[in-house]
CSV table of all heavy atoms in Angstrom, one decimal:
chain,number,residue,atom,x,y,z
A,40,ALA,N,-1.9,-0.1,-61.7
A,40,ALA,CA,-3.3,0.4,-62.0
A,40,ALA,C,-4.0,0.8,-60.7
A,40,ALA,O,-4.6,1.9,-60.6
A,40,ALA,CB,-4.1,-0.6,-62.7
A,59,ALA,N,-6.9,-2.2,-48.4
A,59,ALA,CA,-7.5,-3.5,-48.0
A,59,ALA,C,-7.5,-4.4,-49.1
A,59,ALA,O,-7.2,-5.6,-49.0
A,59,ALA,CB,-8.9,-3.3,-47.4
A,67,ALA,N,-3.5,-13.6,-50.0
A,67,ALA,CA,-4.0,-14.8,-50.6
A,67,ALA,C,-3.1,-15.4,-51.7
A,67,ALA,O,-3.1,-16.6,-51.9
A,67,ALA,CB,-5.4,-14.5,-51.3
A,73,PRO,N,11.8,-14.9,-50.4
A,73,PRO,CA,12.3,-13.8,-49.5
A,73,PRO,C,11.7,-12.5,-50.0
A,73,PRO,O,11.5,-11.6,-49.1
A,73,PRO,CB,13.8,-13.9,-49.7
A,73,PRO,CG,14.1,-15.3,-50.0
A,73,PRO,CD,12.9,-15.8,-50.8
A,127,GLY,N,5.3,26.9,-36.1
A,127,GLY,CA,4.4,26.9,-34.9
A,127,GLY,C,3.1,27.6,-35.3
A,127,GLY,O,2.7,27.7,-36.4
A,188,ASN,N,16.1,-8.1,-49.8
A,188,ASN,CA,17.3,-8.9,-49.4
A,188,ASN,C,17.8,-8.2,-48.1
A,188,ASN,O,18.2,-8.9,-47.2
A,188,ASN,CB,18.4,-8.8,-50.4
A,188,ASN,CG,18.1,-9.7,-51.6
A,188,ASN,OD1,17.4,-10.7,-51.5
A,188,ASN,ND2,18.5,-9.3,-52.8
A,207,ASP,N,18.9,-7.6,-29.5
A,207,ASP,CA,18.7,-7.3,-30.9
A,207,ASP,C,18.0,-6.0,-31.1
A,207,ASP,O,17.6,-5.7,-32.2
A,207,ASP,CB,18.0,-8.4,-31.6
A,207,ASP,CG,16.6,-8.7,-31.1
A,207,ASP,OD1,16.5,-8.6,-29.8
A,207,ASP,OD2,15.7,-8.9,-31.8
A,257,LEU,N,13.0,6.9,-83.5
A,257,LEU,CA,11.7,6.4,-83.2
A,257,LEU,C,11.5,6.4,-81.7
A,257,LEU,O,10.4,6.8,-81.2
A,257,LEU,CB,11.5,4.9,-83.7
A,257,LEU,CG,11.3,4.8,-85.2
A,257,LEU,CD1,11.4,3.3,-85.6
A,257,LEU,CD2,10.0,5.4,-85.6
A,268,GLY,N,0.9,13.7,-76.0
A,268,GLY,CA,-0.4,13.2,-76.0
A,268,GLY,C,-1.0,13.1,-74.7
A,268,GLY,O,-2.2,13.4,-74.5
A,278,GLY,N,-8.0,18.0,-76.2
A,278,GLY,CA,-8.8,16.8,-76.3
A,278,GLY,C,-8.9,16.2,-77.6
A,278,GLY,O,-9.1,15.0,-77.8
A,308,TYR,N,15.2,-18.9,-71.4
A,308,TYR,CA,15.0,-20.3,-71.0
A,308,TYR,C,13.7,-20.4,-70.3
A,308,TYR,O,13.4,-19.7,-69.2
A,308,TYR,CB,16.1,-20.7,-70.1
A,308,TYR,CG,16.0,-22.1,-69.5
A,308,TYR,CD1,16.1,-23.2,-70.4
A,308,TYR,CD2,15.7,-22.4,-68.2
A,308,TYR,CE1,15.9,-24.5,-69.9
A,308,TYR,CE2,15.6,-23.7,-67.7
A,308,TYR,CZ,15.7,-24.7,-68.6
A,308,TYR,OH,15.5,-26.0,-68.1
A,342,LEU,N,-15.2,12.1,-54.7
A,342,LEU,CA,-13.8,11.5,-54.6
A,342,LEU,C,-12.8,12.5,-54.0
A,342,LEU,O,-11.7,12.1,-53.7
A,342,LEU,CB,-13.3,11.1,-56.1
A,342,LEU,CG,-13.7,9.7,-56.5
A,342,LEU,CD1,-15.2,9.5,-56.7
A,342,LEU,CD2,-12.9,9.3,-57.7
Side-chain angles (χ1 to χ4, degrees):
N188 290 328
D207 62 320
L257 286 174
Y308 177 68
L342 270 69

